[in-house]
Amino acid sequence: MPRRRPGQGPDGNYDPYADSYYESGYEDQTGSGRRGHDRAMPADRGGSGPHFYDPSSAARNYGAGLPDIDDEDFGDEEPSNWRRRTAMIAIGGGAAALIGGGAYAVTQFFGEGTQPSNAGAETPVDTAAPAYVDQNQSLMNGQAGLGIRKNTPTTGNSFGTPADAAKNAKVTAKTVLPTKDPVRHLASRLTFGPNAKTIADINKLGINGWIAKQLKPETIPLTRGEQKADAELVTWAMSYDQLKAQREDLDKKGIQADDQNVRYAIAKQLFSDRQLFEMMVDFFGDYFHVAAFHDGNELIRASFERDVIRKHALGNYVDMFVAGNKHAALLRYLDQDESTKDQINENLARENLELYTVGAFNGYTETDVRQAAMLQTGRSIRDNQYVYRPEQHYVGPVKIMGFSHANGDAAGGEAVQEAYFRYIALHPNTARYMAQNLATRFVSDVPPKTLVDAMAKTYLDKKSNIPAVLMTMLSRTEFWASVGQKVRRPGEYLTATYRALDIGAEAPAGFTSNNMNVSPMVQGLGDIKRKLEEYGHAPMELPTPNGYPDVYVAWTSAGTMVNQWNDAYGAVTGGRRQFTWQKPEAIIAAPPATAGAYLDALTKKLINVTLDNDRRLAILHILGPATTASTPVDATFNGAIASIVRAIFATPHHHLR
């Protein structure tokens, strides 16, 4: 069976649950009872010496993809609701997904002139199916990807500071966003959504000062929401021994450590002022991905998050990679605990190359994978903790992508393994793969080669230091010229909406809980988690090790768009009862008395823009076709304030990062 591209299902189309094992050719024979990516026990092949799993392949089904259209708020045909539906479609952005395919939708998000001639088609540009390093590049090989590529700047220059780069950057791509507002651009790209405090902090500290502070998150005080998360998500800081001792009691209360780990990530994204750090935690949650829910890891997945991802998210990647390969959660997730010198499992060795360092099809061979798998034997688990078993370590010479070692002593095998991990984490191909992924996350779905080259050079020069790589990115004009080149993924859209509304972590007065075992905040985080699961984008929850894709074409879905709009309406109207929120008529303290001025004040406060005349008029027509900018309104926007705010969140300006 031919190898499929990353993120591609058996029918050749994008499947959000397609995993890298499509590429690797693993077969799911199931029967192991594990959640996540099940692995069958190997057949008994007899003979002597090490044996490998046979890389035959079959499609795997992890369930439904993104949700269908849920048009619950537009269900009747009363004139007021029909006007609101029509206005929402006219606003643009998400409406593109309702009108046609991903290629057409590109025009709404990335500007006119990017639409390919066969609009709506998703046939590959390159039918020869070239070897892509990752799923993001693979997904961009379609007509929608071509449209984005045509509108993306391709080169730039380096300056001494980010502020200097911002001053000298010129936005040439077509976009609906303001092209001369570097503060908004910075706040949108380096946070899960700017709020009024974010904008004020950047203006106070300056671009350079704010970035410098974000790169030292320990200097930023914990917010009230973070303090509550630390206190009320009771399992987060528990050691394995503590969780093991209290598991029965926690189970009786319906509290699971792996579930609380996901809720903790959501709380941090929503409430933390250490936004760049949380963005990097999320980035590495995709890059060095270990599924949130995997049988056997229930009590240790949060430890992987604490001791591997969070500990090194703004440190050196080589240290993160070494630490991850010494953590029981990763070893169990990719079956390293089942690999012995006589029965070798290559799963972790393959993903260490394919996903976590150099990237798929990027310089290694099947022989390299097998040599790495042989070298990694002996790494195992005892009582949910990492252990090295020298008696299970394969002894003999190894050679992997230029790394070679006699490997002649089982007792010294662990040191040889770590030397290999450090070698491969600092490989030039890893530098480029990391740079490509970081630039895709923060700059563009098709990042300029000049930028990727500069970031990769810094990665090598600075021995994988992530802040140094980020500073290189931020000190180049490509970053600042990329206005409008990133669309929020579903989870990012939800978080940005909640942050724009300044939803608070405290329960409102009079809230009555129906669950005394967990706090209202923890319950609310659970509601948000379930909504993100509807989108297919809850933190860490992808069951397969490739992590969520990071490009727009992977997430185009009319159902998801409308689901997002409806959830935004719920947030505006206090639908998340466990949190505090402003009534929509109180978002602007002293609202103007005319419709146009009031709308401008709302868009400036919530999404940091003033809309173009066409979209302003479309939103104003929610009140009725005779509404103009000079129409008198009260604080409730004549009863339509919630619909007006929801319409603002449906604009391309809010969907774009």
Side-chain angles (χ1 to χ4, degrees), residues 191-213:
T191 77
F192 280 96
N195 53 22
K197 184 179 185 304
T198 304
I199 300 297
D201 285 348
I202 299 174
N203 284 324
K204 177 182 177 181
L205 297 172
I207 286 173
N208 294 338
W210 186 83
I211 291 171
K213 195 170 186 66

Side-chain angles (χ1 to χ4, degrees), residues 100-175:
Y104 183 86
V106 168
T107 66
Q108 298 298 307
F109 280 131
F110 296 100
E112 295 181 2
T114 65
Q115 181 180 353
S117 58
N118 54 336
E122 291 296 337
T123 52
V125 175
D126 185 353
T127 56
Y132 291 98
V133 174
D134 64 17
Q135 63 180 341
N136 292 326
Q137 290 175 289
S138 173
L139 289 162
M140 294 307 293
N141 190 49
Q143 291 293 347
L146 176 62
I148 295 171
R149 189 175 292 110
K150 285 182 176 180
N151 196 42
T152 302
T154 59
T155 189
N157 296 293
S158 180
F159 286 85
T161 69
D164 288 338
K167 187 184 303 182
N168 286 278
K170 294 181 180 179
V171 179
T172 58
K174 294 181 174 67
T175 178

